[in-house]
Amino acid sequence: MFSPFISQATSVRAIMFKVMLALLPAIAVYVWYYGPAILVSITLASITALITEAAMLKLRGRPIAPFLRDNSALLTAWLLALSIPPLAPWWLVVVGTMFAISVAKHLYGGLGSNPFNPAMIGYAVLIISFPLQMTHWLTPHGLGQLELSVMQQLQYIFSGQLPGGATLDAVTMATPLDTLKTQLHLGRMPEEVLGMPIYGHLGGIGSEMVALAYLLGGAYLLANRIITWHLPAAFLASLFVTAGIFHLADPAHYVSPVFHWFSGAAMLAAFFILTDPVTSPTTLRGKFIFAAGAGFLTYIIRVFGGFPDGVAFATLLMNICVPLIDTYTQPRVFGQKDEK
Amino acid sequence: MTTLHTFHGGVHPPQHKQESSESAIAQAPLPSRLVLPLQQHIGAQAKPLVRAGDQVLKGQMLARAEGMVSAAIHAPTSGTVVAVDLHAVPHPSGLPELCITLAPDGEERWVEHAPLDYRALPRDQLLTRLRDAGIVGLGGATFPTHVKLNIGETAGIHTLVLNGAECEPWITTDDRLMRERAAEIVQGIEVMRHLLNPAATLVGIEDNKPQAIAAMQQACANTGIEVIAVPTLYPTGGEKQLIKILTGKEVPSGGRPLNIGIVCSNVATAYSVHRLVNHGEPMISRLVTVTGNVKTPRNYEVLIGTPIAELEKLAGVLPGSDGYILGGPMMGLYVSNSELPVVKSSNCIIVKSRALFPPLPPALPCIRCTRCAAVCPAELQPQDLYWFARARDFGKAQKFHLFDCIECGACSYVCPSNIPLVQYYRFAKSEILAIERDKEAANLARERHEFHQLRLERDKQEKAEKLAQKEKAALAAKAAAPAPAQAATTEAKANDSAQQLPAQQLPAQQLIEAAIARAKEQAATARAKNTEALTPQQQADIAEIEARRAKVREMSHPDADSPKE
């Protein structure tokens, strides 16, 4: 038995739990705008994550109970489920979660040892392997030609059948961010595109509210000191500045930075993805560099790349740089002269 | 008014000071036995001056300071030395150490002692008195005070910092001492000021001790000593942290306060200095907080060497106790043996129970959350040091300033994975020190070996030279011999061959004698070489070694009159 003999009552389990708690507002908004499909995919992802986690722990010869209780696999599952279209065949989220937990997490050494954000790896695998399924997002409440009931959503998820031979296009659409890119490519003006009925005040109808809910959850995490302000602030600032420069230089082709804040997974990334401590730098300066880089890359990928959003690849690219960033941003220690 | 500065990080563990801070200091009764380890300070172990069976007086020196950094040990009461042997001591290694065990006679007969007029004493004599009084820093590190204060008047000490922060939870000895004996502490501080002559003297006390602050402020009125309340934040009582708060200066990485013109000492140490100069008393007792799972937690004035068992009896142990924490809960040492003695560093005994100190959950992997880095007062990256220690990548650990870690435990305290971080750092530090010791030993061995080879080579060369000289002499003789007459040539030839091949012609007896003579001669010259041109120090060393040998011989043959060569 060794000192210190006392400990503050925080635990990995409690931290992960609070992060999941902070996701609840966004999930509620999701259900409001898109129906309960998201709950199904979160449940599927959670069950898959726990089973995969237990199986991997067993294979690795690690104690199963303490690690299953740490909530980290569940959080990965939730983040992945929130990143992919809710109305998708059941196996999509299952495959993504299995890959995230088994390969991205456990093959690298499990909790604390994975260099890449597991949820983003899961997303990347899915978007590369199943691009079609990954781009069909439910049309928000009140905008579609056809609205599915709870049972109809469930039926599609598990059997792939839509009622009355309807096509998937009747109930889904591309994301507002994706739509904007496509329309701008077709030569339309930003104001014209953003005048479409799917757009609201900040971003897309529904998705802008989800983004606001993430912001609310992020505020809760900040208030509870689960995360610090450095990563979200640097990411959002960098995204804003990058988008702002393009917007100011050529407003005919580039929309306002506010749209970029409230579209796609920007808010999710700022408060829930980049803030994964395992895959982000440990030094203060490193955190700024990491998050600013991710903000910049997110913009570049989402505007000039071929994917509907840039958050996942921006995060993964910056994840690669973390050891390097940490090495070169070591702070001075107590009593060390400032000059080197 | 001094402007306060801050240090990075820190934590607010539950204080638990009220339990023991509201009762006056009580005198612990004379125990039935006292165990005095010879190593109660940083530096060389004290050298025992007594043997089992000796009668000793209270305050009599039992072991003297040995070497530059060391401190004497004294009899806390009068009585009989029962043993000088190995006994369990409060040390993380759990290994027994050399201790003097004393059976008190209950008479408390003092050795002759008198106050000092320290202002009249020459500096070095005052320092010697401090050393011979066994006074060491009571802040925890037990660094000999005479060494700390012996820095010469020209060293340019501008600030003397007195540490009354007492930031560890549960401990209240300094609090009570300052409340009850502020005037005496100040008299001790005056001695330190006399020796150091600092421009400023600052007493830092955490603001959770308002009564101590008030008492010290009153005692320091018109002395030029400034008493400063500092915010309660663990580890404010860390020397480097307190200096930063009070002066804004940082002790250099790997350095000591001395490097920036500051000396830092504990208020309890100042009190001990007062006991010496005003009463002539050496360090034979100290205050100990006895708290935790006991009926009446409070502070006791305890004779050094008192077993824990005697103190827990006084405080009344409650059911559910399972061992003791010596020191505070952040940096203390867990022990289960109640026979361990109170030593000069023992500021607190917390009787432990599972209710007060529930076992920590098993450790999970590090998730790099950097809560540890956020609270580290040394501004280290504990999560990286942990990885390096785990991977036994000691070079990296040192590069990341492992040795600037003060082992305050703030990192472990906040770790959500409950990783015993400090244990990893202690492990890495001791491994590095062991490796360095090994390296030194290997270097020494290599040097010895090389020197040995060199000597062999030299001897060989000398022999060869001697041989060559002999041959030369022989040749010279040969050259001289043929000159007298032609007739002698034959004889000379015979002589010649006799010199060239002596072994074949000289009788064996003669050869052996010659060899013996040569060997004797060689031995004589060799000895002469080694003992030539000795420095006085070497001569003194030799004399001491001879004396020690004589003593050993005497001990092994007590009835022999005088040792024979």
Side-chain angles (χ1 to χ4, degrees), chain B residues 57-62 74-78 109-111 132 282 284:
Chain B
L57 295 173
K58 181 168 185 156
Q60 181 182 331
M61 195 193 286
L62 302 184
H74 300 79
T77 184
S78 57
R109 273 176 300 131
W110 265 96
V111 74
D132 291 344
I284 54 169

Side-chain angles (χ1 to χ4, degrees), chain A residues 17-39:
Chain A
F17 180 74
K18 281 187 178 164
V19 178
M20 289 163 72
L21 217 57
L23 287 169
L24 290 181
I27 294 171
V29 173
Y30 240 113
V31 173
W32 175 259
Y33 277 99
Y34 305 97
I38 184 71
L39 299 178

